Amino acid sequence: DNAGGTAISVSGSGRDVWDNADAFRFLYQTRQGDCVIEARVASLTNTHGWAKAGVMIRESLAPGARNVFALLTPSNGAHVQVRSATGGATTDTAGPWGIAVPYWVRLARSGNVITASISAAGITWSTVGSTTLTLGSQIYVGFAVTSHDNSTQSTAVFSDPFIQ
């Protein structure tokens, strides 16, 4: 649902969203079927060059759940990460060089295809990656943050969050 010019803040620690299991903070809604989630990552605490904030679609809340994550980092730009098998390895596709917060991220699910995009102003979108991923009937759609350091919290502000 369109939050209409609002902003939400999500703080979390966690080792990372990567490898075979994730450790992060996730503010989510459950959905069924096709959906779109987008937001402008307005700010992100630089706790580590690989701290991450963005939008995510997950099959479950389990640490090793299959998921797609469109994200921004303080030092390493925009990325889309995919874990296509439960408990499996996570793959990464880097976006264009030099992308930094503040920037827009979006995931769109149509059937079994999930497309990750980024935008400077939330108007014209550039695809970073697309994957075919068969998920259960109920999915978890939301805003994810990891500090990449379990001993400290990173805070992301997502402006104009939108889930439909």
Side-chain angles (χ1 to χ4, degrees), residues 110-136:
S110 179
N112 292 330
V113 177
I114 300 173
T115 303
S117 306
I118 57 173
S119 174
I123 298 168
T124 303
W125 294 87
S126 299
T127 299
V128 176
S130 186
T131 189
T132 300
L133 191 60
T134 304
L135 299 173

Side-chain angles (χ1 to χ4, degrees), residues 30-44:
T30 56
R31 293 284 172 171
Q32 294 188 5
D34 296 347
C35 65
V36 174
I37 179 170
E38 66 185 43
R40 179 176 177 258
V41 181
S43 64
L44 173 62

Side-chain angles (χ1 to χ4, degrees), residues 9 16 21-22 34 45 55 60 64 94 97 104 108 112 116 122 158 161 163:
S9 178
D16 202 359
D22 305 323
D34 296 347
T45 309
V55 293
S60 77
W97 182 254
W104 288 78
N112 292 330
F158 297 93
I163 301 175

